[in-house]
C-alpha cells in the first residue's frame, strides 16, 4: 500500500511530516522546515442535527450520506448525528434511516460511529425543554429504547436524559450496562439527582449551561453539580451565541479542559441566509443576522448556526490553540472509546486537516482534508 505524505505544523507549533495511507498514520517525524500550515486531526462532533440545509430529523428524506460529505468541507470527519425528541414511530423511522445509510455506505459507516438521541426523556419545563416538542417529552421507557436500538442495528451511542424524570436513574444504569453513553441535559435536576445520575453510569453533560430557563436559582441549579462531578465530561457549544465568552471560559476553567468537549449543536439551517424558515427541528425558526438560530418570536435558541470548525475558531479566541483543538478531537474521540481517532500518532486513523493561518496565528481556510487515509478535499 503506497504511503502519502502531509507536512505542516501541529497546534503546539511543531513542524512535522506525516506518512499515511488508508491503513492509518504510519509515521510522524519532526520536520523543522515544514510549511506554515496548521496540521491537526479531523474534528469529532458529538452533537449535530444537520448542516447546510441537510437534516437528520426529517423522516421524509435520508440525508445522512450527503451530510457526512458536506461536513468534510468543515473539517468534521467523525460525527454523532443527533435525533431530537419525537414520538415512537418517528424516532423508529429516523434510526432505521441512519442504520440503512451506515449499512449501505462505507463512508457513512466510518464517519458515523454512533447516533445521539437527545430526548425524549427530558424536562417538560419551559426553557429547560428548549426547542423540543412538549407533546412528545416523557419519562424513560427502557423497552421503548431497546426497540429503537434494535431498529438502529445497535448504533445508538449517546442518549441525553433528564435525571429528575421518573425512572431516569434506573434507565441510566440500563444505558450504561448496554454500552450507551448517558448524558445529562435539558434538565432541572437537583444536585443529588445529578450525582446519582453520574453514579449510575452518566458520563457527559449535553451543552452545559444551555437547555435551561433564562432565570434559575443562583445556587440550587443543575450547573454546579455537573461542574464538580468528575465523572461527567462537559459538552460546550462554542458558537458565540449559546455561551458568552466569560461564561465559556469560566466553565472550562472550573471543569478543567481535559473534561470538556466542543460540540456544534448545528441544525439544518446552519450556514443559511438570515430569515424565517420552517424546519423539522423546532418548526418556525429564525436565522438572525449574526448567524444565530432562534425559535421565531422567542428568545430561545433552536440549535446552532455554526459548524464545529466555526466553534473551534471562536474557542481559540478564549483558549490556547492546542487546548481548543484537543477539545474538538482527542477528548470527544476518547469519550466514544475511539482511541484511534483525534490524534496525530502512528497507528491511528488518518483523519487529517491542514489550514492556512490567519495573520494572528489562528485557523484560516482549509487546504487539505484527508478522511480515513483518502484525500477528499
Amino acid at each position: 500500500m503506497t504511503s502519502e505524505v502531509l507536512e505542516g505544523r501541529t497546534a503546539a507549533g511543531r513542524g512535522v511530516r506525516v506518512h499515511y495511507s488508508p491503513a492509518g498514520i504510519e509515521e510522524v517525524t519532526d520536520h523543522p522546515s515544514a510549511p506554515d500550515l496548521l496540521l491537526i486531526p479531523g474534528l469529532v462532533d458529538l452533537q449535530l442535527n444537520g448542516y447546510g440545509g441537510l437534516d437528520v430529523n426529517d423522516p421524509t428524506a435520508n440525508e445522512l450520506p450527503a451530510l457526512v460529505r458536506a461536513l468534510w468541507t468543515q473539517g468534521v470527519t467523525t460525527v454523532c448525528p443527533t435525533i431530537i425528541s419525537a414520538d415512537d414511530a418517528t424516532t423508529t423511522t429516523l434510526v432505521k434511516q441512519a442504520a440503512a445509510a451506515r449499512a449501505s455506505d462505507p463512508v457513512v459507516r466510518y464517519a458515523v460511529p454512533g447516533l445521539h438521541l437527545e430526548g425524549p426523556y427530558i424536562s417538560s419545563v419551559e426553557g429547560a425543554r428548549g426547542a423540543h416538542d412538549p407533546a412528545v417529552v416523557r419519562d424513560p421507557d427502557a423497552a421503548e429504547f431497546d426497540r429503537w436500538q434494535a431498529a438502529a442495528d445497535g448504533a445508538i451511542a449517546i442518549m441525553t436524559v433528564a435525571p429528575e424524570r421518573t425512572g431516569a436513574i434506573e434507565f441510566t444504569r440500563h444505558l450504561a450496562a448496554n454500552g450507551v453513553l448517558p448524558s445529562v441535559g435539558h434538565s432541572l435536576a437537583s444536585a443529588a439527582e445529578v450525582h446519582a445520575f453520574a453514579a449510575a453510569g452518566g458520563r457527559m453533560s449535553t451543552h452545559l449551561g444551555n437547555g435551561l430557563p433564562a432565570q434559575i436559582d443562583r445556587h440550587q441549579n443543575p450547573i454546579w453539580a455537573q461542574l464538580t462531578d468528575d465523572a461527567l465530561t462537559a459538552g460546550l457549544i462554542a458558537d458565540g451565541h449559546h455561551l458568552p465568552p466569560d461564561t465559556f471560559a469560566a466553565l472550562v476553567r472550573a471543569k478543567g479542559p481535559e473534561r470538556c468537549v466542543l460540540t456544534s449543536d448545528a441544525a439544518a439551517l446552519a450556514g443559511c441566509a438570515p430569515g424565517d424558515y420552517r424546519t423539522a427541528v423546532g418548526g418556525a425558526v429564525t436565522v438572525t443576522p449574526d448567524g444565530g438560530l432562534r425559535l421565531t418570536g422567542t428568545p430561545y435558541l433552536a440549535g446552532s448556526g455554526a459548524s464545529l470548525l466555526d466553534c473551534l475558531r471562536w474557542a481559540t479566541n478564549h483558549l490556547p490553540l492546542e487546548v481548543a483543538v484537543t477539545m474538538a478531537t482527542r477528548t470527544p474521540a476518547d469519550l466514544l472509546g475511539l482511541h484511534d481517532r483525534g490524534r496525530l500518532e502512528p497507528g491511528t486513523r488518518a483523519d487529517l486537516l491542514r489550514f492556512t493561518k490567519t495573520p494572528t496565528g489562528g485557523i484560516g481556510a482549509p487546504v487539505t482534508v484527508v478522511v480515513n487515509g483518502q484525500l477528499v478535499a
Side-chain angles (χ1 to χ4, degrees), residues 11 25 39-45 75 77-78 110 322-345 347-353 370:
I25 296 177
L39 176 56
I40 63 173
L43 307 184
V44 180
D45 198 346
T77 58
T78 300
Y110 177 80
E322 186 176 14
V323 171
V325 167
T326 299
M327 288 167 57
T329 56
R330 180 190 297 256
T331 306
D334 285 351
L335 196 58
L336 285 176
L338 301 175
H339 303 295
D340 61 348
R341 302 195 194 192
R343 50 213 353 115
L344 295 180
E345 298 173 3
T348 62
R349 298 283 193 170
D351 295 333
L352 305 167
L353 311 175
V370 174

Side-chain angles (χ1 to χ4, degrees), residues 174-218:
H174 179 74
L175 293 175
N178 287 278
V180 179
L181 191 158
S183 186
V184 51
H186 289 283
S187 166
L188 287 172
S190 67
E193 288 164 337
V194 169
H195 294 310
F197 169 82
R203 294 177 52 212
M204 182 178 165
S205 297
T206 295
H207 49 53
L208 184 61
N210 296 110
L212 290 168
Q215 293 186 340
I216 55 177
D217 189 279
R218 65 188 183 278

Side-chain angles (χ1 to χ4, degrees), residues 12-355:
R14 175 190 170 201
V16 295
R17 178 181 286 129
V18 178
H19 296 261
Y20 71 92
S21 72
I25 296 177
E26 298 169 351
E27 187 178 24
V28 181
T29 58
D30 288 332
H31 185 43
S33 60
D36 194 25
L37 297 171
L38 178 65
L39 176 56
I40 63 173
L43 307 184
V44 180
D45 198 346
L46 302 184
Q47 184 180 2
L48 179 139
N49 303 118
Y51 187 81
L54 302 167
D55 193 347
V56 298
N57 284 271
D58 185 352
T60 67
N62 191 349
E63 299 181 319
L64 189 53
L67 176 63
V68 163
R69 290 163 172 86
L71 290 173
W72 291 343
T73 68
Q74 298 298 306
V76 177
T77 58
T78 300
V79 62
C80 289
T82 303
I83 296 169
I84 70 163
S85 301
D87 57 54
D88 184 10
T90 299
T91 300
T92 300
T93 297
L94 292 171
V95 299
K96 280 184 174 180
Q97 285 180 348
R102 293 179 77 244
S104 64
D105 189 335
V107 168
V108 175
R109 187 162 57 252
Y110 177 80
V112 180
L115 308 176
H116 181 168
L117 295 195
E118 188 185 357
Y121 310 142
I122 59 172
S123 174
S124 299
V125 177
E126 182 79 9
R129 191 184 67 250
H132 295 240
D133 182 356
V136 301
V137 170
R138 53 199 185 271
D139 290 332
D141 183 332
E144 180 178 56
F145 171 80
D146 288 347
R147 291 196 302 272
W148 293 338
Q149 186 67 293
D153 197 21
I156 301 171
I158 304 172
M159 182 142 201
T160 295
V161 180
E164 69 271 26
R165 301 280 336 190
T166 300
I169 301 305
E170 292 81 1
F171 180 67
T172 300
R173 293 193 186 96
H174 179 74
L175 293 175
N178 287 278
V180 179
L181 191 158
S183 186
V184 51
H186 289 283
S187 166
L188 287 172
S190 67
E193 288 164 337
V194 169
H195 294 310
F197 169 82
R203 294 177 52 212
M204 182 178 165
S205 297
T206 295
H207 49 53
L208 184 61
N210 296 110
L212 290 168
Q215 293 186 340
I216 55 177
D217 189 279
R218 65 188 183 278
H219 295 145
Q220 304 302 321
N221 67 68
I223 297 175
W224 308 122
Q226 291 180 68
L227 284 174
T228 59
D229 201 310
D230 289 345
L232 302 176
T233 295
L236 303 172
I237 305 173
D239 64 348
H241 297 280
H242 281 76
L243 297 170
D246 286 342
T247 303
F248 172 75
L251 292 174
V252 174
R253 289 186 189 183
K255 192 69 186 177
E258 72 281 359
R259 293 191 184 92
C260 292
V261 298
L262 300 183
T263 58
S264 73
D265 196 28
L269 294 178
C272 292
D276 294 331
Y277 296 83
R278 193 85 194 172
T279 70
V281 178
V285 176
T286 297
V287 179
T288 59
D290 59 0
L293 304 184
R294 296 187 182 274
L295 297 180
T296 301
T298 80
Y300 296 123
L301 293 163
S304 168
S307 69
L308 186 56
L309 176 56
D310 295 327
C311 293
L312 177 59
R313 288 190 176 112
W314 185 87
T316 59
N317 294 321
H318 313 287
L319 297 172
L321 176 62
E322 186 176 14
V323 171
V325 167
T326 299
M327 288 167 57
T329 56
R330 180 190 297 256
T331 306
D334 285 351
L335 196 58
L336 285 176
L338 301 175
H339 303 295
D340 61 348
R341 302 195 194 192
R343 50 213 353 115
L344 295 180
E345 298 173 3
T348 62
R349 298 283 193 170
D351 295 333
L352 305 167
L353 311 175
R354 279 200 311 181
F355 299 91

